[in-house]
Amino acid sequence: MNVLWVFAHPEQASLSGSLRDEGVQALVEAGHEVRMSDLYAMKWKAVVDRDDFPEETSPQLRVTTASRRAYEAGTLSADIRGEQEKLAWADLVVLQFPLWWYSMPAILKGWVDRVFVKGFAYGVTDPSDGRTLRYGEGTLAGKRALVVLTAGSQEPAFGPRGINGQLDLALFPLLHGTLWYTGMSILPPVAVYGADRVSAEDHAAAVSLVRSKVLSAEQDAPLPYRSQNGGDYDGDLVLRGSLAPGLSGLGVHYHPGA
Amino acid sequence: MNVLWVFAHPEQASLSGSLRDEGVQALVEAGHEVRMSDLYAMKWKAVVDRDDFPEETSPQLRVTTASRRAYEAGTLSADIRGEQEKLAWADLVVLQFPLWWYSMPAILKGWVDRVFVKGFAYGVTDPSDGRTLRYGEGTLAGKRALVVLTAGSQEPAFGPRGINGQLDLALFPLLHGTLWYTGMSILPPVAVYGADRVSAEDHAAAVSLVRSKVLSAEQDAPLPYRSQNGGDYDGDLVLRGSLAPGLSGLGVHYHPGA
């Protein structure tokens, strides 16, 4: 398979850097093709602004309108077009980052903000019936996404009742609100905990974890998110009362028992 | 009170820009002092890198170590020190942004990543007993934080069973994992929905909402998050079994019935 690996750590000689190298090596050894977007090494521009849309002439910048226009005209800035081309090529997208404030480092958020523009990653409709394709359907459907992260905390603090919030729920804006939104299938996130103090034994275990999870990414079961247009949500995009009756919270957006 | 207003929208002539102007005006009319960090206008650098720590000489960059050392030595880059000074001065911090991919635009995430360094915003202990001060206690305790955002979706999609996730839970990494983590008290977020298509009537309602919420920010009840060191969590930072028994999900980190 074709793998796009997006890496967002400022230091090559870090735990993250070594996990990336090991993960890539495992994929290449297994015959997969890997392309790398090393955002710090690329000096990736993190901030959406008018320079992303060099042909945009309207005095007031409306990001969604300007980005869609530029996407359709092929006039997005070259760095954005390059990432979109890699994404279109990929079967699996790996996003690897150190968890900073329980979300992505700004440089990676800025990769999402700038690359996932209207028309390319969202804002498309089914030509047959005009439905907006979103949350389980869309332009990036058929691809898989895998988040690999390092966190300073220990694992129990990210468990179902841990103070940081259960990991997949804390990552809901990325896993569900971004990646699933575009139609991709989302694998359970892979986390290396206690990343500030890693013994040689911990390091070997982390390498083994990352190697095995990238190699099984083609077969592993994705998170069982409900799709927007599968019948589970009403016209206001609210979960129907007959499903997960009486419950609320982010967990209701998973199919139960999957 | 002293208010720091952090604004993260690329276009001054936007709905967000007008809501900011109205909110600031309301505060000033009521006798409060307001300082503005308009991140796009300041050309705020979004990305943590070695330039943040000009005196750092170790060949391998460890962000937490380097940032703490630079903070304690007063050698963080001048833009970071400027924001820390404003934060120290503020009684209320307003973070205003358009919701992009269910979280902050990269420029604002980068404000958090770069300004909230170890020693300034976290990583401090109680001198009497060595406990880490975190989640409800810390260097920024006593301040209040208010998130004001605009979102393209309609309100039901952010409700308790809405597909985007209940707003305060989707914002958990920011509200709880960042702001509450530093010790601040967190007000319920203020959201203007359907922000892509706003009639004159909608605009007037949004202005009225923002004006009233910033004016009541001193008195409004904060979100009833559980504090880390208040007895609700065990030594692994897991909620004790006697509290919210049998439940999990992000909602268990609220005091019930508050």
Side-chain angles (χ1 to χ4, degrees), chain B:
Chain B
M1 63 183 164
N2 294 340
V3 182
L4 171 60
W5 193 298
V6 185
F7 179 71
H9 195 289
E11 174 60 59
Q12 301 291 332
S14 57
L15 170 63
S16 292
S18 78
L19 295 175
R20 171 202 58 193
D21 293 345
E22 293 278 352
V24 168
Q25 192 183 1
L27 287 163
V28 169
E29 285 167 1
H32 303 298
E33 198 167 337
V34 181
R35 293 170 75 181
M36 176 66 53
S37 290
D38 181 339
L39 299 183
Y40 272 92
M42 294 158 71
K43 299 188 189 304
W44 178 258
K45 171 179 177 279
V47 173
V48 173
D49 61 22
R50 186 175 279 273
D51 293 343
D52 293 354
F53 325 112
E55 313 273 308
E56 181 66 28
T57 55
S58 69
Q60 183 185 345
L61 178 64
R62 285 180 173 274
V63 170
T64 46
T65 316
S67 66
R68 171 161 222 150
R69 200 148 46 205
Y71 172 67
E72 287 175 352
T75 57
L76 285 165
S77 68
D79 59 345
I80 298 176
R81 283 184 282 122
E83 296 306 298
Q84 292 179 339
E85 187 272 318
K86 290 182 202 170
L87 269 168
W89 165 87
D91 304 304
L92 170 67
V93 181
V94 177
L95 300 181
Q96 188 198 349
F97 54 96
L99 193 68
W100 287 354
W101 296 107
Y102 304 102
S103 60
M104 293 177 278
I107 199 169
L108 181 54
K109 180 55 167 48
W111 182 84
V112 171
D113 287 347
R114 296 184 62 231
V115 174
F116 281 34
V117 304
K118 192 164 187 175
F120 175 75
Y122 75 103
V124 293
T125 51
D126 184 326
S128 71
D129 59 7
R131 286 177 314 150
T132 300
L133 301 179
R134 191 167 46 197
Y135 286 122
E137 296 178 305
T139 52
L140 302 184
K143 303 179 187 301
R144 294 184 153 224
L146 174 66
V147 165
V148 176
L149 62 83
T150 48
S153 298
Q154 299 297 328
E155 184 162 7
F158 283 103
R161 292 164 55 88
I163 195 168
N164 297 333
Q166 183 173 304
L167 184 65
D168 59 308
L169 301 180
L171 293 173
F172 195 77
L174 171 60
L175 300 177
H176 180 270
T178 305
L179 300 168
W180 175 243
Y181 192 102
T182 70
M184 289 194 248
S185 298
I186 317 307
L187 295 161
V190 173
V192 173
Y193 298 102
D196 295 332
R197 296 177 213 80
V198 171
S199 66
E201 194 180 330
D202 295 337
H203 187 265
V207 165
S208 170
L209 174 71
V210 170
R211 280 188 159 256
S212 90
K213 290 297 183 185
V214 298
L215 289 177
S216 64
E218 260 181 312
Q219 297 86 39
D220 285 344
L223 294 172
Y225 289 133
R226 300 177 188 274
S227 61
Q228 173 178 302
N229 297 323
D232 289 357
Y233 296 93
D234 67 18
D236 289 327
L237 304 180
V238 174
L239 190 64
R240 293 183 190 285
S242 57
L243 302 169
L247 299 180
S248 63
L250 305 182
V252 301
H253 303 292
Y254 288 96
H255 282 290

Side-chain angles (χ1 to χ4, degrees), chain A residues 10-251:
Chain A
E11 174 59 58
Q12 301 291 332
S14 56
L15 170 62
S16 292
S18 77
L19 295 176
R20 172 203 57 191
D21 293 345
E22 294 277 354
V24 168
Q25 193 183 0
L27 287 163
V28 170
E29 285 167 1
H32 302 297
E33 198 168 337
V34 181
R35 294 171 74 182
M36 176 65 55
S37 291
D38 182 338
L39 300 183
Y40 272 93
M42 294 158 70
K43 299 189 189 303
W44 178 258
K45 171 180 177 277
V47 172
V48 172
D49 61 22
R50 185 175 280 271
D51 293 343
D52 293 354
F53 326 111
E55 312 274 306
E56 180 66 27
T57 55
S58 69
Q60 183 185 345
L61 178 65
R62 286 180 173 272
V63 170
T64 45
T65 315
S67 66
R68 170 162 224 150
R69 198 146 48 204
Y71 172 68
E72 288 175 351
T75 56
L76 285 164
S77 68
D79 58 345
I80 299 175
R81 283 183 284 123
E83 296 306 298
Q84 291 179 339
E85 187 272 319
K86 291 183 202 169
L87 269 167
W89 164 86
D91 303 304
L92 170 67
V93 181
V94 177
L95 300 181
Q96 188 198 349
F97 55 95
L99 192 67
W100 286 355
W101 296 108
Y102 303 102
S103 59
M104 294 177 278
I107 200 169
L108 182 52
K109 181 55 168 48
W111 182 83
V112 171
D113 287 347
R114 295 184 62 231
V115 174
F116 282 35
V117 304
K118 193 164 187 176
F120 175 75
Y122 75 103
V124 292
T125 51
D126 184 327
S128 72
D129 60 5
R131 285 176 315 149
T132 299
L133 300 179
R134 192 166 47 196
Y135 286 123
E137 297 177 304
T139 52
L140 303 183
K143 303 177 187 302
R144 294 185 152 224
L146 174 66
V147 165
V148 176
L149 61 85
T150 49
S153 298
Q154 299 299 327
E155 184 162 8
F158 282 103
R161 291 164 56 88
I163 196 168
N164 298 333
Q166 184 174 304
L167 183 65
D168 59 311
L169 300 181
L171 293 173
F172 195 78
L174 171 60
L175 300 177
H176 180 270
T178 305
L179 300 168
W180 176 243
Y181 192 101
T182 69
M184 289 194 249
S185 297
I186 317 308
L187 295 161
V190 174
V192 173
Y193 298 101
D196 295 332
R197 298 177 212 80
V198 171
S199 67
E201 194 180 331
D202 295 337
H203 187 265
V207 164
S208 170
L209 175 70
V210 170
R211 279 186 161 259
S212 88
K213 290 298 182 183
V214 298
L215 289 178
S216 63
E218 260 180 312
Q219 297 85 38
D220 284 345
L223 295 172
Y225 290 132
R226 301 177 188 272
S227 61
Q228 173 179 301
N229 297 323
D232 289 357
Y233 296 93
D234 67 18
D236 289 328
L237 304 180
V238 173
L239 190 64
R240 294 185 192 282
S242 57
L243 301 168
L247 299 179
S248 64
L250 305 182

